[in-house]
Amino acid sequence: MKMVGAMVAVSRVAKNLTQKQLGELVGLEEQTIASIEQGRRALMPDVAEVMDRVLGLPGVLAVAAEQMPAVDVTPPWAEEYMDREREAVAISWFDIQVVPGLLQTEEYARALFGCRVPYMGAEEIEVQVVRRMERQEVLARPVPPTLSFIISETAVRDRIGGDEVYWEQLRHLRACADRPGISLQILPLGSAGHAGLNGPFTLLETPEHQHFSYAETQRGSLLGQDPDELSILTRKYAMLRSQALNFEETKGLLDRLLGER
């Protein structure tokens, strides 16, 4: 991605354009252009085609984007989501099987990556753990985003990584439940039904009040902005908030689980 980003930067400078000016011409924010040029965010093929037209290139960036080797530690679609996550003003996250990435301890994240099949190897696991911990810097921003998490009770009962990792993660969740700006709710086991049966998803809002949805599957993920899809997921999330334990009930459940040690 760094090579493709450098190509964008060189082509932009050759046209005497600033990052802001190029962004306006192709319909992207200035910081998004900066992320692409720095190799932190993938140049998506559709954006590459627009840039080729704007910069007067004979399809060079489109070919580069299409042929970009899949060697990055994070796939392009996930890179785009993480870029949005870093700047978000609001994040709403529902998860069923695992603790959301922004709330994971380092050892819990390491254990999760170690469960991947096929096994990715110790070196790659460490790379992924570092990247996951870096994502949590969003929580330490001077003005952090408004954060809402709904987690299935399954995720807080499974002992991923063993007992010590489990207890550490549980204590961390309990501490997060007391942090200002974080809304944490647990969806209890034994429900007759709930709005999240189709799987986990995330909703986020950017400083420009753009709204995105994000969902992962076994072999891929999707960052969406379709109004109909956003409406459906927003309604699902609202229903889940009413079906989950409230804040105090959630803290009570975590306290009881911690008391079982």
Side-chain angles (χ1 to χ4, degrees), residues 132-168:
R132 179 149 298 178
M133 294 301 103
E134 287 176 346
R135 285 173 59 193
Q136 295 183 7
E137 292 175 3
V138 69
L139 305 180
R141 281 173 13 194
V143 181
T146 299
L147 295 159
S148 172
F149 298 94
I150 302 173
I151 314 170
S152 170
E153 188 175 340
T154 300
V156 298
R157 285 190 177 272
D158 282 348
R159 303 198 172 203
I160 304 297
D163 285 350
E164 290 307 311
V165 172
Y166 171 72
W167 294 118
E168 181 190 23

Side-chain angles (χ1 to χ4, degrees), residues 93-169:
W93 190 322
F94 169 63
D95 225 316
I96 298 177
Q97 297 295 335
V98 299
V99 172
L102 294 182
L103 301 181
Q104 292 174 10
T105 65
E106 183 174 331
E107 289 303 319
Y108 181 89
R110 184 172 287 109
L112 280 181
F113 288 121
C115 292
R116 294 277 181 91
V117 177
Y119 180 64
M120 61 175 62
E123 184 175 344
E124 178 65 14
I125 287 174
E126 292 309 308
V127 171
Q128 295 285 3
V129 169
V130 168
R131 290 174 70 87
R132 179 149 298 178
M133 294 301 103
E134 287 176 346
R135 285 173 59 193
Q136 295 183 7
E137 292 175 3
V138 69
L139 305 180
R141 281 173 13 194
V143 181
T146 299
L147 295 159
S148 172
F149 298 94
I150 302 173
I151 314 170
S152 170
E153 188 175 340
T154 300
V156 298
R157 285 190 177 272
D158 282 348
R159 303 198 172 203
I160 304 297
D163 285 350
E164 290 307 311
V165 172
Y166 171 72
W167 294 118
E168 181 190 23
Q169 179 62 67

Side-chain angles (χ1 to χ4, degrees), residues 8-9 11-13 17-30 33 37 50-51 54-55 61:
V8 172
S11 302
R12 172 182 60 77
V13 171
L17 294 172
T18 65
Q19 291 177 337
K20 182 178 181 180
Q21 289 170 332
L22 177 58
E24 290 172 349
L25 290 170
V26 301
L28 295 177
E29 300 149 19
E30 180 180 359
I33 298 295
E37 292 186 354
V50 178
M51 283 189 176
V54 168
L55 297 172
L61 297 178

Side-chain angles (χ1 to χ4, degrees), residues 14 25 28 45 73 81 92 105 121 123 127 153-154 158 185 191 208 213 221 231 237 240:
L25 290 170
L28 295 177
V73 294
Y81 167 74
S92 300
T105 65
E123 184 175 344
V127 171
E153 188 175 340
T154 300
D158 282 348
Q185 294 177 261
S191 300
E208 292 74 30
S213 64
S221 58
S231 174
Y237 199 84
L240 283 165

Side-chain angles (χ1 to χ4, degrees), residues 7 46 57 105 144 146 197 199 211 225:
M7 292 171 63
D46 57 334
L57 301 174
T105 65
T146 299
L197 293 174
H211 294 264
Q225 205 175 7

